[in-house]
Amino acid sequence: MSNTNPLDSQIYRFVTRPRQGNDPRSASLLADAHTLGLTAVQRLDCLDIFFIEGTLAPSQVAQLASNLLSDPITQSVEWGRLLTGAPGSKSPGYHVIEAALRPGVTDPVAEQIVRSASVLGITGVQRAAVGLRYEVYGETLTEDDLLALARRLLVNNIIQHFTLGEIEPAFPQAAQASGQVEALPIRSRSDDRLLALSEERRAALDLAEMQAIQQYYQAIGRDPTDVEFETIAQTWSEHCVHKTFKAAITLTQEDSPDASEKTVISNLLNTYLRAATQSIQAPWVRSAFVDNAGMIDFDDEFEVSFKVETHNHPSAIEPFGGANTGVGGVIRDVLGVSAKPIAATDILCFGPPDLPLDHLPEGVLHPRRIRSGVIAGVQDYGNKIGIPTVNGAIVYDPGFTANPLVFCGCIGIAPKGSHPRQPLPGDRVIVLGGRTGRDGLRGATFSSMTMDGQTGEVSGASVQIGDPITEKGLIEVILRARDARLYHAITDCGAGGLSSAVGEMSSQTGAEVELQHVELKYPGLAPWEIWLSEAQERMVLAVPAENIPALRSLCDLFEVNITDIGAFNDSQRLVVRYAGQVVLDLHNEFLHNGIPQRQLQAVIRTPAIQSDAPPGLAHIPPTNANHPPSIRSIPSHNPLSKMLLSLLAHPDIASKADVVHVYDHEVQGATIIKPLIGKMNDGPSDGAVLKPLAGRGRQAIVLSNGVNPQYGKVDAYRMALSVVDEAIRNAVAVGADPQRIALLDNFCWGDPKRPETLGELVQAARGCYDAALFYQTPFISGKDSLNNEYLGADGQRHAIPPTLLISAIGIMDNFEHTCSMDLKTAGNPLYLLGEHQHAWGGSHASLLAQTSPTQGRPPGLPQQAPQIYQTLHQAIWRGWVRACHDLSEGGLGVAAAEMCIGGRLGLNLVLPDDDPATWLYSETNGCLLVEVDASHAQHFEALFSQLAIRKIGMVSSQPRLQVTCLDELAPCIDIPLERLLQAWKGDSR
Amino acid sequence: MSLNTPVKALILHATGTNRDLEAARAFEMAGALPEIVHLNQLRRRERRWEDYQILTLPGGFSYADALGAGKLLALDLQAFFTEQVTSFIASGKPVIGICNGFQALVKAGLLPDSKHLANNHSAHRQQATLTFNANGRFECRWVHLAPVSPHCLWTNGLQEIIYCPVAHGEGRFVLPDPGDAQQLAQQNQIALVYAQADGSPANGVYPLNPNGSILDIAGICNPQGNVLGLMPHPEDHIFPFQHPRWRRGASGGLGLHLFQNGVNFIKQ
């Protein structure tokens, strides 16, 4: 594309305009502008711009305009040669802002324009670009207003450039492939200069690591090339190697009587997470902590895989692209275990949507904008690639303002034993999928650093936009290649790009790669950029030479790029060439095992607990019920009702229907317990159940999650216990067999170099271990994202609350034994199962009552919980249970209200004593509300006779929630269903 | 045709198609022999149009919906297959376009009526469009569909309301002149409309009518009645347990009947 003749090649500019005034896209932007306080904007029209460069006859330009670039019914189109410097403004009060993608940002539409022009028989098109034109009207608008509108709403500087007036497209500069490799003198550097080099190249390596590199090169008698240094930095990054979880941690207990008492943990991952799995020895676990995703048995024929990743840093600076590629990345993880992706999950943590603008740290996007961008990014990728998004959560806290969290999960299914894992010497190194550009350079090290106001500008290249349709092509090709047994190993290109993918695959063998064979998006990339690029939608396969023709023909059919870049061998070395010249030559042993173990200090602060106590002893007796928040201080004629309605309206608890409906949760036809459920399809399901089309039997997959940063702020250990419990409880509530549930951990934390922060991480890992053993649920996969901190212009550190996401995957043998949370039939009794713990620490009631969050601890694990779940599962299996819902944020009151909403029925609750606030709004683990078929009530009670069970109410045909205290006549709460609905749903439908 | 000869349904796969497996499953359940065929296999003549009795354009995001949903698949149909598709339709064989497939049929000028040719006569002229939902958002939710055309072979004889999900961002059916919609209605070309649970009209009320289509149009057929295009996904409700309220004992409204109609039309 660089060989255009400037004499006959022209850039044409096309603008399409909706024919009718009521364009939804423009209307929604105008509303957003007003929300941002830009009320001087009276009208805003959003138009599409296309730029096409080529040698074209006038009739061809007209044909492109009318047949390709516009819809004849709804749009008009105007076009002409690109004129630079056109003012754009036509009359007073009327202004134009135009935006276009920065050069090199993935632009699938532009690629389709070039392809489709040739379908139309127009061969002279060389390249294309797209942009957006905003026609803004406002009598009093100033230039400052327009700049604010552009920066705060219309344009993201990271991926777009804009101008007031007409814009020119920015194509990547045509440059000669440099082939340039730089040697980095390292052997004689002082410690200070070693650290300076790490900083200069944004390598995020510490002194010990830099010294290890120095020693290696001193021993082999040369200096590293830039390709080698960057490769080591990526391979040794927190993101790739999880060095904090593998560090040697010296632990001290704050306020310990013996201050010299220290414990050393050699490896958090092995000590707590892997250890739990090894100790439980579940026979149905097929792969834990080994592959790109964890795997468990599904039925006799299939196994399922599950992986959850985070994409926090990229989402902070470019929410759409960050979330978009987060989804794309985790789908590739599942594809990387040769499985068909069948469902996606997403759990999102944002700053408060109503954060005042002047509270926003410099360089940080407003939480509303991050939220809408992230949700649009998840929607775009999942919907387009055809994978249903079936489970998730959204929580808000000021701690996530600068560091939003985006957890993306993907579930896959594959025939048992169909995933090959070992490349053989002689196998070709094959790259499938997207072409390589400068996208996402140094993403792995970027994600391992604290961000500041400059991060967006410096790391702009780390952000990518996804191309789900290219990844869809990968799915089509790889599943067929797997069934034809065409490859010996496969992995995805994630952080670190080819360096990490090829490096990992050849770590037991060796490989040679020629970078000049890699297909590029545009020329001019230095060798290290090609090798490290995190361009999306690529997979690396080890393919025996004799299978290449078959793989090529599959790629040809599905229009997927395939490139042979080298071969695996048994040299135990990784050798990379560019145009024949060796640019990297490293021993596997050094690259993969040469990283020194980090030595870290952790301090455990009180009020954390001695967690080596056997699980179950963490249970706190109800007498230790701390201090209820001063609910009665809330002004209202009925503080109890007011609290319930406020809880239902809290953004963490309120209906997520507006988000659920923009995700396709039905594609693939397997979602049999849906995210919204009940009489009007709007109740909040505890989990999702999938019955995959592939499975021939009655087995089904259950998905659920637990996350609670409010608990994390108070007590990381208890948070871990609680979120493990909640994930399991949610799964059991919809029908999972408690003995067939596996867990995934995702730790999102601040900077682990701070001993207190690391202490909390240790406590959470301990909590995972204790809870996993308590419930006998193994961990099969996990991931950590550390350094979620933001260094503000004020010099203050803004760290996230310690946040642990536990995702649960359960298998049930018969999908008929599922259960939903909506009340079914008036007259049925309602039971409270489990020991209610009356805990207030980190509760949403405390949050609303603005009690100090550290007042009291979050709940622990009630001793009977495992038995309760097992017994409940039996009752569901016998068909006695009509509805079942877990008690989580907002406690029993919220759970009961949600059950009423789901079934559009009423409830009469009778509380055991005269402390309704505690029963209704304190929080607890291990408890569920269960509607039981009246004709089986006796059987049900008998089944639970040795366990904590309390008949607490009755389903009523009167559409109201009534709560009465024992021995009192008048209800303390009596709220019509309509009011509950209004509080919980707002305007959403 | 002999009862023993399988009815072969071509499920057309283009880059970005993603509900092809569900469509195949629906046709299998309806008694046909579905085959997912990539557009490139037809271009290379590895598969022949005339070997199939039913043509299905399934849902998905062909070419990422770039430049408008279904637009570039429509362009492929016009550029490579105008003759084959025209003769498939003219022969009276059942053709169904679901969601993205409907968008492609409309943008290729094959619906509402393939008799209008473009100026250069090389392809059909686009007479209507499917554009962004009135609320500007993608919508995945369950809708009730009333089959209202006795004329369309796919909906003919269906008594029951179909209950199935929509999942689209560009599903609002638009005609150049609103009066054209009345004409479609008079010609029995409106095959399926968004309705209330009891079958009474949605009357444009969101979310019963999820996208703001004129006259609650969810699906239309050609004047001959053999080509149906619809936005919702009847292929996602072919088993009772896919019903959102099967745990409440709800049943019925299966989309399967639509596919059975198409297959039975060939078998009879």
Side-chain angles (χ1 to χ4, degrees):
Chain A
M1 50 190 163
S2 59
N3 302 325
T4 59
N5 182 344
L7 288 178
D8 51 18
S9 181
Q10 286 283 345
I11 299 180
Y12 296 88
R13 171 191 159 97
F14 306 76
V15 177
T16 65
R17 180 183 298 274
R19 284 185 197 274
Q20 287 159 343
N22 52 353
D23 171 42
R25 180 170 62 169
S26 300
S28 115
L29 284 172
L30 182 62
D32 288 346
H34 289 169
T35 310
L36 283 172
L38 298 163
T39 46
V41 181
Q42 290 166 270
R43 189 187 157 96
L44 199 162
D45 288 309
C46 177
L47 315 177
D48 289 297
I49 316 174
F50 304 99
F51 301 99
I52 296 185
E53 183 174 6
T55 312
L56 301 167
S59 65
Q60 292 179 314
V61 180
Q63 197 188 350
L64 287 171
S66 55
N67 290 11
L68 192 61
L69 302 177
S70 64
D71 184 287
I73 312 297
T74 53
Q75 292 172 324
S76 62
V77 56
E78 51 202 73
W79 67 91
R81 288 184 181 179
L82 180 70
L83 300 172
T84 54
S89 183
K90 292 174 186 165
S91 56
Y94 173 95
H95 308 271
V96 168
I97 301 169
E98 291 193 353
L101 291 176
R102 292 189 179 278
V105 174
T106 303
D107 185 351
V109 176
E111 287 172 31
Q112 288 301 337
I113 290 173
V114 176
R115 188 196 64 85
S116 334
S118 71
V119 172
L120 278 172
I122 301 173
T123 53
V125 170
Q126 282 134 9
R127 55 188 182 179
V130 303
L132 289 164
R133 175 181 172 90
Y134 302 97
E135 297 181 349
V136 189
Y137 180 77
E139 282 161 19
T140 62
L141 278 173
T142 63
E143 186 168 315
D144 282 351
D145 290 338
L146 293 170
L147 291 174
L149 177 67
R151 289 187 182 131
R152 283 197 212 145
L153 179 66
L154 303 178
V155 178
N156 186 340
N157 199 34
I158 303 299
I159 56 161
Q160 292 168 305
H161 61 119
F162 76 94
T163 172
L164 304 183
E166 294 196 357
I167 201 164
E168 282 184 70
F171 294 108
Q173 290 297 311
Q176 286 303 307
S178 70
Q180 210 176 350
V181 176
E182 203 185 324
L184 303 176
I186 190 178
R187 284 175 290 169
S188 55
R189 278 183 183 242
S190 66
D191 288 354
D192 283 352
R193 293 186 57 232
L194 283 175
L195 283 173
L197 179 66
S198 170
E199 180 123 338
E200 198 180 298
R201 298 202 66 105
R202 298 180 76 81
L205 295 172
D206 71 6
L207 184 61
E209 290 154 355
M210 288 300 292
Q211 287 168 334
I213 298 171
Q214 188 177 44
Q215 283 155 18
Y216 174 78
Y217 283 96
Q218 282 167 345
I220 64 169
R222 65 175 174 89
D223 281 316
T225 64
D226 54 0
V227 184
E228 289 176 330
F229 183 78
E230 295 283 347
T231 302
I232 297 165
Q234 296 289 326
T235 310
W236 291 7
S237 67
E238 183 70 76
H239 187 95
C240 292
V241 78
H242 304 287
K243 45 200 174 193
T244 300
F245 268 76
K246 294 175 181 167
I249 298 173
T250 308
L251 199 61
T252 47
Q253 177 87 42
E254 192 185 70
D255 302 337
S256 161
D258 181 4
S260 63
E261 193 182 311
K262 288 183 175 166
T263 324
V264 175
I265 299 167
S266 68
N267 179 317
L268 275 181
L269 184 63
N270 286 344
T271 307
Y272 294 118
L273 301 159
R274 281 195 174 128
T277 304
Q278 280 158 8
S279 151
I280 292 163
Q281 289 285 332
W284 39 267
V285 170
R286 306 205 41 107
S287 166
F289 296 105
V290 178
D291 293 292
N292 281 6
M295 299 179 191
I296 59 174
D297 279 333
F298 177 64
D299 59 12
D300 292 340
E301 197 180 352
F302 292 97
E303 58 201 13
V304 291
S305 43
F306 193 8
K307 176 64 173 276
V308 180
E309 280 272 14
T310 51
H311 225 210
N312 306 334
H313 289 60
S315 302
I317 62 169
E318 211 299 272
F320 178 90
N324 201 240
T325 51
V327 176
V330 78
I331 292 170
R332 285 197 302 284
D333 276 321
V334 161
L335 210 44
V337 293
S338 305
K340 176 185 164 66
I342 55 167
T345 65
D346 68 277
I347 287 82
L348 312 173
C349 304
F350 301 121
D354 54 357
L355 186 80
L357 276 177
D358 53 359
H359 289 199
L360 199 61
E362 192 193 324
V364 171
L365 298 174
H366 192 273
R368 285 176 63 94
R369 194 165 172 199
I370 293 181
R371 178 184 189 273
S372 66
V374 164
I375 289 165
V378 172
Q379 168 196 336
D380 179 81
Y381 214 101
N383 294 2
K384 283 185 175 166
I385 201 167
I387 297 172
T389 302
V390 298
N391 186 247
I394 306 178
V395 298
Y396 298 89
D397 189 85
F400 299 121
T401 298
N403 290 93
L405 303 182
V406 175
F407 300 89
C408 305
C410 186
I411 295 89
I413 189 164
K416 285 187 177 175
S418 63
H419 173 52
R421 291 180 172 90
Q422 190 53 58
L424 296 180
D427 286 351
R428 305 302 305 173
V429 180
I430 300 295
V431 181
L432 296 185
R435 285 175 300 154
T436 300
R438 288 202 175 86
D439 335 30
L441 282 172
R442 296 174 173 153
T445 51
F446 164 55
S447 72
S448 309
M449 287 185 293
T450 298
M451 305 209 293
D452 58 32
Q454 305 302 310
T455 300
E457 278 162 49
V458 179
S459 301
S462 284
V463 174
Q464 316 105 38
I465 306 290
D467 180 2
I469 300 308
T470 296
E471 192 147 305
K472 180 67 164 58
L474 285 175
I475 297 176
E476 304 287 351
V477 167
I478 287 168
L479 297 181
R480 286 168 175 83
R482 173 200 72 194
D483 291 344
R485 308 212 171 267
L486 296 184
Y487 58 86
H488 286 156
I490 180 170
T491 196
D492 67 305
C493 270
L498 291 172
S499 78
S500 150
V502 179
E504 256 174 56
M505 285 173 91
S506 65
S507 63
Q508 305 299 314
T509 55
E512 282 198 27
V513 165
E514 170 54 74
L515 291 179
Q516 224 180 13
H517 294 163
V518 176
E519 286 195 53
L520 302 181
K521 293 182 175 178
Y522 38 84
L525 273 67
W528 77 266
E529 294 178 313
I530 301 173
W531 185 234
L532 273 298
S533 162
E534 296 184 5
Q536 297 290 298
E537 287 91 27
R538 300 178 303 165
M539 301 289 293
V540 180
L541 282 72
V543 183
E546 64 269 24
N547 292 344
I548 301 279
L551 185 60
R552 268 191 201 287
S553 83
L554 271 176
C555 289
D556 199 28
L557 181 62
F558 289 98
E559 298 172 349
V560 168
N561 288 326
I562 169 169
T563 321
D564 182 337
I565 63 164
F568 292 93
N569 54 37
D570 54 8
S571 67
Q572 298 298 328
R573 303 172 76 83
L574 183 58
V575 176
V576 178
R577 293 189 170 81
Y578 185 87
Q581 181 206 346
V582 173
V583 297
L584 177 150
D585 182 352
L586 288 171
H587 291 86
N588 279 345
E589 177 59 26
F590 170 68
L591 184 58
H592 298 290
N593 300 320
I595 180 171
Q597 190 182 33
R598 279 216 164 156
Q599 307 291 321
L600 296 170
Q601 304 293 324
V603 172
I604 300 205
R605 289 181 305 179
T606 45
I609 60 163
Q610 308 291 328
S611 73
D612 289 343
L617 296 188
H619 163 67
I620 46 168
T623 48
N624 195 11
N626 313 311
H627 316 282
S630 48
I631 286 170
R632 294 197 167 81
S633 69
I634 297 175
S636 166
H637 69 281
N638 185 340
L640 283 174
S641 301
K642 169 89 176 172
M643 176 54 89
L644 181 56
L645 295 171
S646 303
L647 283 167
L648 288 171
H650 189 281
D652 291 355
I653 294 169
S655 168
K656 309 293 185 295
D658 57 339
V659 179
V660 173
H661 286 301
V662 302
Y663 298 155
D664 189 342
H665 46 268
E666 295 288 353
V667 62
Q668 300 198 21
T671 319
I672 64 166
I673 294 288
K674 304 174 199 293
L676 295 174
I677 203 147
K679 185 167 187 196
M680 302 303 286
N681 299 348
D682 61 1
S685 186
D686 287 350
V689 181
L690 301 169
K691 184 182 170 347
L693 276 184
R696 288 168 214 193
R698 306 177 77 76
Q699 286 86 353
I701 301 166
V702 178
L703 298 171
S704 62
N705 70 77
V707 64
N708 197 325
Q710 298 307 329
Y711 291 0
K713 288 181 190 173
V714 186
D715 184 333
Y717 176 78
R718 285 266 169 107
M719 166 179 71
L721 300 182
S722 299
V723 295
V724 168
D725 172 73
E726 187 177 2
I728 293 170
R729 195 151 38 105
N730 275 322
V732 172
V734 294
D737 178 349
Q739 294 179 344
R740 293 280 303 278
I741 294 175
L743 304 176
L744 279 72
D745 64 75
N746 284 84
F747 294 85
C748 284
W749 239 252
D751 184 352
K753 291 202 198 73
R754 223 183 304 116
E756 315 84 78
T757 304
L758 187 60
E760 290 168 342
L761 189 64
V762 171
Q763 288 296 72
R766 283 178 165 175
C768 285
Y769 177 85
D770 289 350
L773 258 60
F774 187 54
Y775 289 112
Q776 291 289 296
T777 47
F779 282 94
I780 56 168
S781 172
K783 199 87 186 183
D784 54 276
S785 165
L786 309 177
N787 303 297
N788 288 287
E789 301 207 350
Y790 179 90
L791 187 59
D794 50 0
Q796 301 270 320
R797 296 183 77 90
H798 305 260
I800 59 163
T803 305
L804 169 65
L805 168 69
I806 295 292
S807 305
I809 181 165
I811 303 297
M812 53 195 302
D813 281 332
N814 186 344
F815 72 90
E816 298 274 2
H817 300 144
T818 45
C819 188
S820 63
M821 53 70 66
D822 46 306
L823 293 176
K824 302 295 188 304
T825 309
N828 278 343
L830 188 83
Y831 295 89
L832 172 65
L833 294 185
E835 305 139 277
H836 197 288
Q837 294 166 304
H838 296 357
W840 293 104
S843 68
H844 273 63
S846 299
L847 202 64
L848 284 176
Q850 295 182 327
T851 316
S852 163
T854 52
Q855 192 173 36
R857 300 181 65 190
L861 294 178
Q863 215 144 17
Q864 292 183 359
Q867 265 177 292
I868 298 257
Y869 300 168
Q870 198 58 52
T871 313
L872 172 62
H873 181 63
Q874 285 176 34
I876 292 175
W877 198 83
R878 292 180 194 194
W880 300 345
V881 176
R882 298 302 317 282
C884 179
H885 195 30
D886 80 312
L887 271 56
S888 59
E889 290 96 336
L892 192 157
V894 165
E898 287 176 343
M899 293 180 86
C900 293
I901 288 170
R904 293 297 196 275
L905 285 166
L907 267 178
N908 293 325
L909 298 185
V910 180
L911 298 178
D913 57 34
D914 60 356
D915 185 6
T918 298
W919 280 101
L920 291 171
Y921 307 127
S922 69
E923 297 186 8
T924 181
N925 290 320
C927 290
L928 303 106
L929 285 178
V930 178
E931 176 194 347
V932 174
D933 192 313
S935 64
H936 293 294
Q938 281 186 338
H939 304 129
F940 186 83
E941 287 177 20
L943 190 65
F944 280 89
S945 58
Q946 303 301 311
L947 296 167
I949 179 172
R950 193 185 293 274
K951 186 173 167 189
I952 200 165
M954 186 81 85
V955 183
S956 154
S957 59
Q958 292 296 311
R960 27 194 346 115
L961 177 61
Q962 287 191 337
V963 183
T964 314
C965 289
L966 194 67
D967 301 331
E968 287 186 22
L969 292 174
C972 59
I973 283 186
D974 184 359
I975 308 178
L977 179 60
E978 274 309 308
R979 286 281 287 135
L980 300 175
L981 262 171
Q982 188 192 21
W984 188 70
K985 285 190 84 174
D987 298 329
S988 70
R989 282 182 281 185
Chain B
M1 134 167 227
S2 154
L3 281 176
N4 298 325
T5 318
V7 176
K8 291 182 75 179
L10 189 166
I11 317 283
L12 185 66
H13 181 109
T15 296
T17 298
N18 66 30
R19 271 183 163 92
D20 45 348
L21 286 168
E22 289 133 271
R25 175 63 68 98
F27 275 106
E28 195 183 314
M29 297 281 293
L33 185 66
E35 183 184 356
I36 294 169
V37 177
H38 197 286
L39 194 131
N40 287 337
Q41 291 174 293
L42 291 160
R43 282 186 72 186
R44 296 173 192 159
R45 300 180 200 285
E46 292 166 12
R47 296 289 186 282
R48 302 186 313 167
W49 292 86
E50 53 270 32
D51 292 339
Y52 302 88
Q53 287 82 48
I54 294 175
L55 168 62
T56 305
L57 285 80
F61 285 80
S62 55
Y63 304 109
D65 274 4
L67 304 170
K71 173 110 186 159
L72 299 181
L73 176 55
L75 198 67
D76 279 357
L77 293 176
Q78 291 179 329
F80 308 127
F81 304 121
T82 290
E83 201 183 306
Q84 292 91 328
V85 173
T86 307
S87 81
F88 203 103
I89 292 173
S91 70
K93 289 177 180 174
V95 176
I96 186 168
I98 304 172
C99 194
N100 197 241
F102 182 25
Q103 292 161 336
L105 288 175
V106 166
K107 293 180 183 183
L110 299 167
L111 278 175
D113 191 346
S114 56
K115 76 178 179 213
H116 306 280
L117 292 183
N119 292 339
N120 59 7
H121 293 272
S122 65
H124 302 278
R125 180 169 63 79
Q126 183 178 338
Q127 313 127 55
T129 201
L130 288 150
T131 190
F132 295 98
N133 297 346
N135 66 8
R137 288 201 306 266
F138 186 95
E139 286 282 339
C140 177
R141 62 170 76 237
W142 284 64
V143 294
H144 293 95
L145 301 176
V148 289
S149 174
H151 186 63
C152 172
L153 70 84
W154 295 94
T155 55
N156 177 28
L158 297 187
Q159 302 300 323
E160 202 189 5
I161 298 297
I162 294 174
Y163 190 46
C164 68
V166 290
H168 62 247
E170 300 177 44
R172 180 159 56 102
F173 187 73
V174 174
L175 291 156
D177 179 348
D180 299 346
Q182 292 301 338
Q183 198 186 335
L184 283 183
Q186 280 156 20
Q187 294 171 3
N188 282 320
Q189 281 184 259
I190 300 176
L192 294 160
V193 293
Y194 298 112
Q196 304 190 41
D198 63 4
S200 55
N203 283 329
V205 174
Y206 176 84
L208 296 170
N209 172 341
N211 52 37
S213 272
I214 186 164
L215 296 184
D216 298 323
I217 290 175
I220 57 165
C221 66
N222 63 347
Q224 293 73 37
N226 64 320
V227 182
L228 171 68
L230 74 165
M231 286 312 301
H233 292 285
E235 77 277 26
D236 281 343
H237 190 194
I238 54 174
F239 300 110
F241 52 77
Q242 290 170 322
H243 192 296
R245 295 183 300 281
W246 72 288
R247 291 280 37 153
R248 301 180 66 81
S251 63
L254 288 183
L256 184 61
H257 307 306
L258 199 74
F259 299 96
Q260 286 167 334
N261 258 358
V263 176
N264 290 339
F265 177 84
I266 297 292
K267 282 189 172 167
Q268 280 154 14

